[in-house]
Structures are given as structure tokens and as C-alpha cells.
């Protein structure tokens, strides 16, 4: 190039430094939630982002969810109102990511990482965290840590949770999942709480923030909200954003309590996306992509790599029709490190939280307990199981006192154990106090 005339050499340098051209296509069809776009199918992958220009000029962010007949299938992060044939679709170069900051504590954001609490702009950090992040390598992860104080004595004792563990809260609608989650957010000993409200009812968001979480809980939390009326892409992305925020604080060396309500609505959003893009309905209408996506999401929680903190995950699962063997619940149980079952019959008796201890399990036990604690748990479970086996006869008055010493003992302790397992939503019970009270009940 040094032998070329100066003008040609300068022109060649200018051409080398020109930015790459922007690729765009045109809408060729719209069906339901999808827009088919031609001209970009060789330039953008599945998961890529595009900006669709509606006929009235407003911009609609979209994601590529598949390809059909040589066209890219775009699903909008909002509504497709105003989109007509021939509308332009520009490819966006940036990958979906957020830049969390310590100043995000106490803030409420949406699935895109934008503030929705009216408290002004959200400060941006220096580290970019991809929404499609990968979990730490299995061989590089730390083991689960010591006990995590969740402030609820039934869980602190009978269903111990340790740092880096992932638990599911399984229940039908209206049995108390959100209230239990808010109690743990307020009373936990974790450094930071990250709460994802995925597909939540719009009217309940403010109630959760003000009544359930309260100023004290919100001060050390980041809340991510995607209401039920938002597009399925945004509801799915809210779950990814929740984990991305938790990963930022984990990599800062903090112990994070990550709570998501609910995992089922995340799966439902993935179902809507899969069916719209042409996937076949497999298990109760859920397409095949739902369950690998569920595993990828849940594996991001857990212990971090050496030198990092941990993400203790609590994920609520809304069991349809109180069927605890429906596909999402069944898949989640196989991935998580334990499950807490809330039962409608217990709630109807007026005991809250309505945890069925006998149907619940924590896979960190008994390794995290001392011999004395394991003995207390074993005795409590035997008493509860014995009473449950004879409950119908006892209520009908058909059991005669003195027929079985084990049943007599279970009846004698039943009222005290029910009182121990119940807890007011405004009452906090630390870990040491929980064990002390349990020992007093079983004297």
C-alpha cells in the first residue's frame, strides 16, 4: 500500500474504517403473535434481536424465535399493533444484557432492567451480565455452605436450607405461597434478596411491595416485575433478568437469596412461545423446549465458583388443580434440591404457613444437622405421621385412649406441634430460637 498514490491510500484506509452496513428486512406476513420477515434469515440467529418499525412510526423490539419457509419468525416484546406488510425490521447488534449496580438495592425494575418504581433513573454498573448466562462449571463450583436462616421456624428446623441450595414451594392458588415468600424475604439472614414476580397479577404487585415485603425487606432487595398482561417474551425474560441480577451480587462475593414467583408462569410463557413458533404440544400442551429451558434456568442458582458467593434459590410452583404430579411440578422436583409442599386442607384448618411436613423434603438433610437436631426431627416426624395415620378415627371419636401408646403420645403432642408449625406473617423466628422452641415442645 505504501507505493500507492496518497489519495488512493487514504481512500483505502477510509474504506477499511467504515462501519459495517446495517442489515434489515421486510415483513411478509403476520399471524397471531408472530411476524414473518424476509431478507434477514441468513444474518440473524435464533435468539437475535430486531427492531420492527410499525406503519405509524413507533418501534417494536422483537426476538427471533425460529425460521419458516426461508423467513425469520419474530415475536414482539410488546404488541404487534400497527405492523403491516412491508414494514422494516432492523437487526440489533447488541446481545441482551444488563449492568447491575449496588444502587439497585431497594429498586423495582421490569424485565428489560428499566426502573418502574418512580424513583428516578437506575444507575448502571461497569460489568455487563448476559441474560442468557451459563451456570458455573460443575467441577469448579463450591459445595453448599452452612445453614441459611430464613426466619420461618417450620423451615429452619424441619426443612433446613443451606447456602446455595435450591428449594421449590409447591402449592395450588390461594394457599399462601406469596406470603411465605415475603416472610423469608423480610427475615432472612442473606446479604441480598432478589425477587422475581413472573406473570404476577398487576393489582397485587403494590400490595406485595408495601404490605408483604415492607420497607425493611425492600431496602435489601431488588424486585423484578412482569405482570400477567405482558408479552410471553417479557415474562420469560423477567426470570432471566432475576437470575442475572442474582449472579452479579453472587460474583461480588455475597450470599444471595433468589426468589421467583412463579416457575410455572415462566414455563407457561415458554409454552406460548414454543407453540407460536410451531413446536408440537407434547406433555399437557407443553412443547419439548420447555423442560430443557427450565433446567437451564434452575442450574444458574446454587453455589458459585471458588471465591464467589452463593445463590440460594426459592422457586414457587403453581400446581394446576392441586395436582402435584403435573408436568412442570414433576420436572422441577427432579432438578431442585428439595420441595416444600403447601396443602389446601391445612390452610382450611387455619394453620399458616400451610406446610405439609410429611410430604416435604430438604436434600441437604441430615448432613447439615447435628445428631441432636436429627433426633428432634425424627421424633417430630414420627409423631406427625402417627397422628396423620389415625386422624380420621380420632376426629370421629372412634379411637379409644390407651389402645396404642404411640398414638396416645401423638395425640398428647399434636396441639403443641401444630402451634409450633404455625407462625404469624409479622413474626420472625431466628434459627437458634427455632431449635430452642422445638426442643421445648418435645420435652
Amino acid at each position: 500500500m505504501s507505493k500507492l498514490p496518497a489519495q488512493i491510500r487514504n481512500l483505502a484506509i477510509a474504506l477499511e474504517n467504515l462501519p459495517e452496513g446495517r442489515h434489515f428486512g421486510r415483513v411478509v406476513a403476520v399471524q397471531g403473535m408472530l411476524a414473518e420477515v424476509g431478507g434477514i434469515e441468513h444474518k440473524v440467529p435464533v435468539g437475535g434481536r430486531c427492531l420492527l418499525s410499525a406503519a405509524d412510526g413507533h418501534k417494536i423490539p422483537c426476538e427471533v424465535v425460529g425460521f419458516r419457509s426461508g423467513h425469520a419468525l419474530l415475536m414482539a416484546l410488546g404488541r404487534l399493533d400497527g405492523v403491516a406488510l412491508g414494514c422494516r425490521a432492523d437487526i440489533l447488534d447488541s446481545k441482551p444484557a444488563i449492568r447491575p449496580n449496588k444502587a439497585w438495592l431497594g429498586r423495582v425494575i421490569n424485565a428489560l432492567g428499566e426502573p418502574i418504581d418512580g424513583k428516578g433513573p437506575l444507575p448502571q454498573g461497569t460489568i455487563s451480565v448476559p441474560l442468557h448466562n451459563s451456570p458455573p462449571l460443575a467441577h469448579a463450583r463450591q459445595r453448599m455452605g452452612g445453614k441459611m436462616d430464613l426466619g420461618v421456624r417450620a423451615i429452619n428446623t424441619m426443612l433446613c436450607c443451606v447456602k446455595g441450595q435450591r428449594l421449590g414451594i409447591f402449592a395450588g392458588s390461594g394457599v399462601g405461597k406469596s406470603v411465605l415468600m415475603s416472610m423469608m424475604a423480610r427475615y432472612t439472614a442473606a446479604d441480598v434478596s432478589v425477587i422475581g414476580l413472573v406473570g404476577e397479577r398487576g393489582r397485587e404487585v403494590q400490595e406485595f411491595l408495601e404490605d408483604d415485603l415492607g420497607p425493611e425487606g425492600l431496602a435489601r432487595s431488588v424486585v423484578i416485575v412482569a405482570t400477567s398482561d405482558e408479552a410471553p417474551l417479557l415474562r420469560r425474560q423477567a426470570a432471566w433478568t432475576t437470575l442475572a441480577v442474582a449472579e452479579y451480587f453472587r460474583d461480588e462475593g455475597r450470599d444471595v437469596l433468589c426468589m421467583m414467583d412463579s416457575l410455572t408462569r415462566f414455563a407457561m410463557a415458554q409454552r406460548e412461545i414454543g407453540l407460536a413458533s410451531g413446536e408440537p404440544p407434547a406433555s399437557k400442551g407443553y412443547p419439548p423446549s420447555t423442560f430443557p429451558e427450565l433446567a437451564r434456568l434452575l442450574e444458574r442458582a446454587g453455589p458459585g465458583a471458588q471465591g464467589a458467593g452463593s445463590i440460594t434459590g426459592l422457586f414457587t410452583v403453581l400446581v394446576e388443580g392441586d395436582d402435584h404430579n403435573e408436568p412442570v411440578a414433576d420436572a422441577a422436583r427432579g432438578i431442585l434440591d428439595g420441595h416444600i409442599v403447601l396443602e389446601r386442607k391445612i390452610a382450611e384448618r387455619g394453620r399458616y404457613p400451610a406446610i405439609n411436613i410429611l410430604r416435604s423434603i430438604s436434600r441437604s438433610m441430615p448432613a447439615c444437622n447435628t445428631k441432636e437436631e436429627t433426633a428432634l426431627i425424627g421424633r417430630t416426624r414420627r409423631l406427625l405421621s402417627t397422628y396423620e395415620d389415625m386422624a380420621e378415627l380420632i376426629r370421629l371419636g372412634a379411637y379409644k385412649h390407651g389402645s396404642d401408646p404411640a398414638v396416645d403420645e401423638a395425640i398428647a403432642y399434636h396441639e403443641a406441634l401444630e402451634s409450633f408449625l404455625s407462625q404469624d406473617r409479622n413474626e420472625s423466628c431466628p434459627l437458634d430460637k427455632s431449635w430452642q422452641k422445638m426442643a421445648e415442645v418435645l420435652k
Side-chain angles (χ1 to χ4, degrees), residues 71-98:
H71 297 145
L73 301 179
L74 270 60
M75 182 175 282
L77 273 72
R79 298 169 62 92
L80 286 173
D81 294 353
V83 175
L85 295 180
C87 284
R88 176 169 168 152
D90 290 279
I91 298 176
L92 298 177
D93 297 329
S94 59
K95 293 182 179 180
I98 56 172

Side-chain angles (χ1 to χ4, degrees), residues 154-176:
I155 298 174
N156 278 347
T157 53
M158 300 300 296
L159 302 164
C160 298
C161 178
V162 300
K163 294 175 183 177
Q165 187 172 356
R166 301 161 304 165
L167 284 170
I169 303 173
F170 294 72
S173 57
V175 186

Side-chain angles (χ1 to χ4, degrees), residues 126-143:
T126 56
I127 300 172
S128 179
V129 183
L131 295 187
H132 298 275
N133 220 347
S134 299
L137 296 173
H139 66 273
R141 278 189 146 170
Q142 303 177 70
R143 297 188 61 173

Side-chain angles (χ1 to χ4, degrees), residues 278-320:
E279 278 192 82
S283 182
K284 283 197 175 180
Y286 288 99
S289 65
T290 303
F291 303 103
E293 196 63 54
L294 206 60
R296 278 192 288 269
L297 179 76
L298 295 174
E299 282 296 332
R300 290 171 65 177
Q306 293 295 329
S310 64
I311 300 175
T312 304
L314 294 168
F315 303 90
T316 69
V317 179
L318 179 65
V319 291
E320 298 180 12

Side-chain angles (χ1 to χ4, degrees), residues 86 110 115 144 178 206 255-256 277-278 298 309 333 342 372 389 405:
N110 63 14
M144 292 192 296
S178 298
Q206 206 61 24
D255 291 317
V256 182
S277 60
L298 295 174
R333 264 198 308 271
L342 303 185
E372 292 77 12
D389 290 342

